[in-house]
Amino acid sequence: MTRFVLISDSTLSYDYRNFPLLDFLPCSPSRAIPESIYRFLKGPPPLAGPNGELINAPYSLRKLEAALLKKYQRHEVVVAHDDYLSNFIKDDTEVIGVTTMDPLGIGPTTMSYYALMGGEMDAWVRRDWDALIDKVNRARRGTKAKLMVGGPGVWEFTILRDEIEKYNFDFIFQGEADDIAVELFSEISSGNIDPSIFFRGYMSYDDHFRKILKKDDLFIARGTSLSAYPKLDEIPQIVGPSTKGMVEVMRGCGVGCDFCEVTLRPLRYYSPERVAAEVAINASAGNRNAWLHSDEIFGYMHGNMFEPNEDAITDLFRTVMSVDGVESSNPTHGRISIPAGYPELIEKLSVILRAGPRNWIGVQTGVETGSDSLAKRHMPNKTLPLKIGPDGSWQEIVWQGVYNETRYYWRPAFTIQVGQEGETEDDYWDTISMINKLSNSYVDGRPFEFTITPLVNVPLGRIKSKNLNRGMLTKEQLAVYYASYLHLAKMAIRDGLMDTRGKFFSRLGTGALVSAGGFMMLKYVERLASKAGVDIEKVKRYSVPATGEIHTLAAMARA
Ligand code: SF4
């Protein structure tokens, strides 16, 4: 008897040919990328076990599974592959739990593509979500199984509330559930939801980023009698392998950027031994890379003024790399000020991680802007323990960070935001200046390695009105997009084939598609920007020195 069937949004369980940034592929509009190319770049479907279980499952599902196994037996809880739902969803199934990240396609990256391409809200991520829920509803037809969705994408259902009736959800759960999963699933199953534990509604934010609660019977959230988040010792250890070998090392951040929700969550750090125990589960299933998730790895057990705790960070990675079967590891996110100010830490980590020309350490970094005034206004602590002013301009800090990262074989994937509150024309040109300088810089004769993805802040009112046609981006914002795609096309051509993994012909196919895609995207943005009146030649030349190359911080500051 399978009481509880756990399923992943299918876009979260593919490996996207393990190519950097291809994980964002489902965010693209479906009419812009033909289905055959989309399916090829997604890579083969995730592996299924003999009964149809998912072999590697998204980490959040693994946590939920582990939490339920504290009370229920192994045969009562399954993480199912969505091609084999009928093997598990039967008359006695009580609850189907589905996790999702960007179900309706209104996440920041998806929005950025709409801003460029306009049209209907038809991103691949939404098409795949609709197909999955259709499949789940067909599988549960005629059974008493209730359908509950959860995960970080739940906020989208609160925004487009009038569009979700068609999915026939019984409940939408919002929040972290590690400590209350047993109560949640058993009460949903019985239909007796205890109001002293659960709130029937959801949490949102007002215009001043203060939490507010909204009543809505379709939603369930943690009640006010509970702590708002589970404590560290209430979070269980996963019992099965996770997609891409990802495990968590901490929750929360605390740096305090004013646009970021993560910073409102309490800080909870896992010990290196605890992280290693989960990595060992992945390694024993054949996952040779340990992907360490946090929203800010350099904040791991940080010291005063967000000074990096070098011993704790190196100990963490050393412990992970000593796990049997682990060959490589990298963090998910980290801020740039630490590579800028602590090159010896990056060098030490590179030795531990065996970084080199065939093993770049990828890390996502929100660099957000090239403007000092915007950085000080929206993310004053992101540079800590460095300070804008005494330690250089924001651009100089970023430049020094990428210099040290490239030197020690780290490759940041930057995001920048356009449309921030108070952003001026000068701020946009500062961002273009930063991108161009980085794109033309070298260390030890090698070009700086980084990608840059522009994101647009779309007001919620505009999302609700679905007014997402072209024309969302101003002339200056298009200029920033153009500078970004100019660099991305350069990277795609330079690294397209080198960064692919697997068999020769699939590498060739992926490399060729990525390189061609980068070039086509550049030409598309160029046409759009020219039409909007952007001076393309000015963007190309802006802050690029006459020699075309920057090798030192002083030269970068002069350019
Ligand atoms: S450093 Fe990153 S995770 Fe932390 S508050 Fe700022 S944006 Fe959020």
Side-chain angles (χ1 to χ4, degrees):
M1 170 192 183
T2 312
R3 272 176 194 262
F4 305 128
V5 178
L6 309 179
I7 304 166
S8 161
D9 175 335
S10 55
T11 59
L12 302 177
S13 48
Y14 278 68
D15 69 10
Y16 300 92
R17 300 200 177 271
N18 290 311
F19 189 87
L21 294 189
L22 265 190
D23 303 68
F24 294 126
L25 181 71
C27 302
S28 55
S30 58
R31 65 191 172 76
I33 301 208
E35 180 156 6
S36 53
I37 293 182
Y38 173 66
R39 302 274 170 228
F40 173 79
L41 290 176
K42 250 179 127 181
L47 295 174
N51 300 318
E53 318 90 344
L54 195 57
I55 298 284
N56 293 302
Y59 187 74
S60 58
L61 269 195
R62 287 292 181 214
K63 282 289 191 208
L64 194 55
E65 173 193 36
L68 290 170
L69 288 174
K70 278 184 170 175
K71 170 162 180 194
Y72 297 101
Q73 294 181 34
R74 180 65 276 184
H75 68 272
E76 294 177 296
V77 181
V78 71
V79 175
H81 191 297
D82 64 69
D83 283 344
Y84 300 92
L85 296 183
S86 57
N87 290 6
F88 304 106
I89 301 176
K90 310 264 189 207
D91 287 343
D92 50 12
T93 301
E94 295 173 14
V95 182
I96 301 167
V98 187
T99 187
T100 182
M101 179 96 82
D102 185 15
L104 303 181
I106 57 173
T109 312
T110 316
M111 273 294 131
S112 294
Y113 287 121
Y114 289 140
L116 267 183
M117 298 175 182
E120 297 302 308
M121 292 168 70
D122 63 347
W124 276 111
V125 74
R126 185 164 182 161
R127 283 184 61 170
D128 280 0
W129 172 254
D130 285 1
L132 175 72
I133 297 303
D134 189 45
K135 210 192 256 191
V136 172
N137 277 327
R138 272 187 278 120
R140 74 177 179 129
R141 194 170 294 147
T143 73
K144 62 178 171 46
K146 291 179 179 147
L147 175 57
M148 172 171 58
V149 294
V154 155
W155 68 274
E156 299 187 358
F157 300 129
T158 71
I159 304 298
L160 298 179
R161 178 68 178 83
D162 57 335
E163 287 196 21
I164 58 179
E165 296 302 330
K166 66 174 182 183
Y167 295 125
N168 289 320
F169 300 144
D170 292 292
F171 293 100
I172 299 172
F173 177 77
Q174 181 196 46
E176 295 180 21
D178 310 76
D179 54 335
I180 48 167
V182 166
E183 290 80 359
L184 178 67
F185 275 68
S186 65
E187 290 185 18
I188 281 181
S189 171
S190 67
N192 297 319
I193 294 167
D194 183 348
S196 72
I197 304 180
F198 296 109
F199 170 67
R200 296 299 295 273
Y202 57 87
M203 191 265 294
S204 188
Y205 295 94
D206 67 11
D207 294 343
H208 304 287
F209 215 33
R210 284 183 305 235
K211 285 183 183 176
I212 47 170
L213 294 174
K214 291 202 172 173
K215 284 195 173 164
D216 185 329
D217 272 353
L218 184 58
F219 289 79
I220 301 188
R222 300 172 72 92
T224 47
S225 66
L226 299 174
S227 58
Y229 298 92
K231 298 186 187 68
L232 191 61
D233 59 8
E234 294 170 326
I235 302 172
Q237 181 182 312
I238 60 170
V239 297
S242 56
T243 306
K244 292 196 171 191
M246 180 190 281
V247 303
E248 205 172 35
V249 302
M250 59 189 270
R251 291 188 191 178
C253 167
V255 166
C257 304
D258 72 1
F259 47 82
C260 179
E261 189 270 336
V262 174
T263 198
L264 304 176
R265 301 181 206 160
L267 273 166
R268 287 151 290 170
Y269 306 114
Y270 296 179
S271 68
E273 293 68 34
R274 206 177 141 172
V275 174
E278 292 196 337
V279 169
I281 288 168
N282 281 327
S284 63
N287 291 312
R288 304 271 172 241
N289 183 62
W291 207 16
L292 303 194
H293 176 67
S294 73
D295 287 288
E296 172 41 55
I297 191 67
F298 300 118
Y300 182 70
M301 300 190 185
H302 65 80
N304 198 21
M305 300 300 283
F306 287 95
E307 199 170 331
N309 184 336
E310 300 196 26
D311 289 344
I313 298 171
T314 49
D315 188 29
L316 172 70
F317 280 101
R318 200 174 284 116
T319 308
V320 163
M321 288 298 285
S322 68
V323 171
D324 262 358
V326 170
E327 291 170 358
S328 57
S329 175
N330 65 297
T332 54
H333 298 86
R335 69 194 195 278
I336 193 68
S337 57
I338 303 307
Y342 297 81
E344 70 293 345
L345 170 61
I346 301 304
E347 185 180 10
K348 260 187 230 166
L349 288 172
S350 291
V351 172
I352 294 168
L353 296 171
R354 298 173 211 136
R358 293 299 299 157
N359 180 28
W360 286 83
I361 310 301
V363 60
Q364 284 187 46
T365 301
V367 70
E368 322 298 6
T369 179
S371 151
D372 271 13
S373 58
L374 266 197
K376 282 189 199 159
R377 176 171 174 170
H378 293 298
M379 46 186 208
N381 297 333
K382 217 175 204 181
T383 55
L384 286 177
L386 306 186
K387 287 203 178 92
I388 295 175
D391 294 304
S393 67
W394 173 234
Q395 287 193 24
E396 286 166 343
I397 291 171
V398 174
W399 190 93
Q400 191 62 51
V402 191
Y403 180 94
N404 293 332
E405 289 189 312
T406 303
R407 165 169 259 182
Y408 298 118
Y409 298 100
W410 286 55
R411 181 192 285 145
F414 288 142
T415 48
I416 45 169
Q417 299 184 43
V418 299
Q420 296 190 67
E421 200 192 321
E423 195 162 14
T424 64
E425 202 174 310
D426 286 348
D427 295 325
Y428 290 122
W429 283 103
D430 281 347
T431 302
I432 294 166
S433 166
M434 178 183 74
I435 297 168
N436 282 354
K437 287 173 184 173
L438 293 172
S439 187
N440 289 284
S441 290
Y442 291 75
V443 53
D444 299 339
R446 293 185 278 120
F448 277 20
E449 284 282 332
F450 68 101
T451 60
I452 192 142
T453 305
L455 304 174
V456 60
N457 284 352
V458 182
L460 289 182
R462 191 153 186 176
I463 297 177
K464 282 182 188 166
S465 71
K466 302 179 196 83
N467 182 11
L468 301 172
N469 287 326
R470 273 184 220 158
M472 278 170 74
L473 296 170
T474 65
K475 186 173 142 192
E476 285 72 30
Q477 291 172 348
L478 273 167
V480 172
Y481 266 64
Y482 181 66
S484 306
Y485 279 96
L486 200 58
H487 177 72
L488 282 172
K490 194 195 255 188
M491 287 286 289
I493 291 164
R494 192 162 79 208
D495 298 343
L497 188 59
M498 186 179 83
D499 283 344
T500 53
R501 301 271 180 279
K503 295 190 179 121
F504 177 74
F505 284 110
S506 85
R507 285 183 59 203
L508 197 64
T510 309
L513 282 171
V514 167
S515 302
F519 181 74
M520 281 161 62
M521 201 58 197
L522 172 64
K523 288 293 154 196
Y524 177 80
V525 178
E526 188 173 302
R527 267 198 309 278
L528 219 57
S530 298
K531 230 165 138 186
V534 173
D535 182 343
I536 294 294
E537 289 309 311
K538 179 180 172 187
V539 176
K540 282 184 187 167
R541 286 193 317 270
Y542 199 71
S543 298
V544 176
T547 59
E549 294 185 356
I550 301 172
H551 293 262
T552 63
L553 184 58
M556 168 347 257
R558 279 197 307 273

